[in-house]
Amino acid sequence: MLQKPESGALPIPQAEGEKDGDRDGETQALTASQNEVPSPFLQESPKEDLGARKEEGATESALTPKGSRTLAAKALARRRAYRRLDRTVAELVQFLLVKDKKKSPITRSEMVKYVIGDLKDLFPEIIARAAEHLRYVFGFELKQFGRKHHTYILVNKFKPLEEEEEVEEEDLGGDGPRLGLLIMILGLIYMKGNSARETQVWEMLRRLGVRPSKYHFLFGYPKRLIMEDFVQQRYLNYRQVPHTNPPECEFSWGPRSNLEISKMKVLGFVAKLHKKEPQHWPVQYREALADEADRARAKARAEASMRARARARARATDRAGIYPW
Amino acid sequence: MEEGRAERRRRTEAPSHTQGGPRRAGVMTDVHRRFLQLLMTHGVLEEWDVRRLQKHCYRVHDRTAAVEELEDFINNINSVLESLYIEIKKGATEDDGRPVYALVNLATTSVSKMASDFAENELDLFRKALELIIDSETGFASSTNILNLVDQLKGKKMRKKEAEQVLQKFVQNKWLIEKEGEFTLHSRAILEMEQYIRETYPDAVKICNICHSLLIQGQSCETCGIRMHLPCVAKYFQSNSEPRCPHCNDYWPHEIPVFDPEKEREAGTSRATKRSLRSRQH
């Protein structure tokens, strides 16, 4: 369930795209998307679109009146298509930002239904550009849950700041209390050996004055928050424990928790709560250390593969003579 | 051709938004990204808070760099945001003209930004409150009047007690302001929804005669009916002993508010030091 960085990274479209002869110039420019700059530049400079110019020269001589009209019409159509594509990418970026605030994973079909519409054949292109914007402008990584499931989440490039920082309140944002509740539950789960019975969770919360179905001024209806929201958002897993009678259910960390926080951090939080050092719990401490080592290795691997991909991309575009515009 | 190849190499190495063309987009660094994220999280921030945020972002990511002038800093970010059809917009609080900033959608938006935080019936409650506020003379809608509409809401049935809590949620999330049991729009809502409000309520919407922006609270001329924001009134009639309506020239019948910018700045800094002292104590 721990999201491996390689499989989580977006597939980068190489020179795919439609093989439609008429729109060659357009699609070549569209598919070399990874490092593309937004629309104003595409609109300004059809003359820099060398790929297209080559193609246009082949069909009509630009010197005849008919030729130049066709040229102009094609340029206009191309610009319109670019604008529409840019608009769709911008809408998708906003859609993803808004949906991510809810923390529920976003499916490809949702994106197609609400934003992309009939441009859905260009989905890989559109999502790659949206991912690039999210990364460059906001510092969010768009991650896919495995290659088969078309579900995505945004992971923040920035880790929340340590408490020593004077302005730690800045980074919790509006979601502070709910996140605090979640961390308490993650802590309980971790300390109980990576799963906790539902009854144990409610017992802990009852001691904090939080009851499942009683409206709480900070958390709303806690039962809904924990059993529905946190589970839907993939922060928690909830399942029935086999062979229990009467049937019992248990919580464990969800995939998003593994992506957004670490065992070491949660252990640190629990330790602080008890005014002790993390090492006070040697079993959990060792486990957390091992987890840190795993993460460091995965990160190194991901960075190496991204660099290799970038080099391959650069080589591919050079070789094909395809200019980004 | 040489230029093209060199540019291409630069592009494949690192995405850059500073290539050719008459409109040069700015460059985003982690300083700008963290700033954007935090501004998005808060929804709306007053100027003194924005400056503090900016300094915080520099401290975290680039201690050695000089803090750029706020206006340039924001224009830089906005030039990058332009292609995403969003911008950091500056407005002012209606009651005393304090400058505020929010990240807004340039295309028309409905209450879409709220959609992620609220259920269908809650959004409908907001819409009802919004309508009452826009239709009102004072820009305020009473809690009672809003709660009386609870039966008309779309979606799941909501009790009045629950509706009271939802209204408080709106206040906490900076969509509404409450004053003595009455509700008006927070500057965040005004910034984000101005276009939506103008398009959805074209007959009921009020506009300030001076700045031509959306007006919720303000003063109006009793003769000809034009309206002005309180800070706009203060600025327009500044040190004018005989204030007259700019439209019909009748005497302006209301007290002219006085906003002292020096006092506001002091208030801002003292608030900032108070907060940092508090966090240092633990």
Side-chain angles (χ1 to χ4, degrees), chain B residues 31-45:
Chain B
V31 178
H32 305 94
R33 289 180 194 113
R34 188 178 279 270
F35 178 84
L36 250 190
Q37 279 196 23
L38 291 171
L39 182 60
M40 272 198 312
T41 307
H42 283 95
V44 67
L45 283 175

Side-chain angles (χ1 to χ4, degrees), chain A residues 34-41 43-44 48 50 83 86-87 89-90 93-94 97-99 101-102 132-133 135-140 156-159 161 163 165-174 215 217 221 224 310 313-314 317-318 322-325, chain B residues 1 4-5 7-8 11-12 14-17 19-28 30 33-34 36-38 40-42 52-53 56 59-61 63 80-81 83-86 103 105 107 112-113 116-117 159 162 165 169 172 275-276 278-280 282:
Chain A
Q34 199 58 21
N35 303 308
E36 199 157 44
V37 175
S39 68
F41 303 98
Q43 288 171 1
E44 313 301 353
E48 289 183 53
L50 295 166
R83 258 198 295 269
D86 284 329
R87 254 231 133 84
V89 169
V93 168
Q94 286 180 43
L97 285 171
V98 167
K99 273 254 145 183
K101 265 197 77 188
K102 253 184 121 171
E132 182 53 32
H133 281 303
R135 192 198 66 78
Y136 182 71
V137 179
F138 296 96
F140 286 116
N156 199 341
K157 149 185 199 182
F158 301 131
K159 307 287 185 269
L161 293 181
E163 267 191 62
E165 295 283 340
E166 200 171 283
V167 284
E168 51 110 335
E169 6 177 337
E170 300 286 11
D171 290 309
L172 284 178
Y215 189 87
F217 77 102
Y221 290 102
R224 193 182 76 176
R313 226 182 308 134
T317 35
D318 272 348
I322 296 168
Y323 295 79
W325 55 70
Chain B
M1 284 298 271
R5 216 170 285 138
E7 284 204 280
R8 230 186 330 123
R11 274 194 301 276
T12 51
S16 160
H17 289 59
Q19 308 307 322
R23 245 175 309 161
R24 276 183 172 276
V27 175
M28 293 293 281
D30 278 351
R33 289 180 194 113
R34 188 178 279 270
L36 250 190
Q37 279 196 23
L38 291 171
M40 272 198 312
T41 307
H42 283 95
R52 205 176 57 105
L53 197 76
H56 163 71
R59 232 181 303 136
V60 173
H61 292 289
R63 269 175 199 267
V80 175
L81 295 180
S83 58
L84 293 176
Y85 301 95
I86 51 181
L103 188 67
N105 196 332
S112 65
K113 206 171 268 185
S116 63
D117 292 329
R159 278 162 292 149
E162 203 185 324
Q165 308 255 10
K169 236 179 36 165
Q172 267 164 40
R275 200 190 279 209
S276 55
R278 217 188 313 136
S279 52
R280 248 184 256 129
H282 77 257

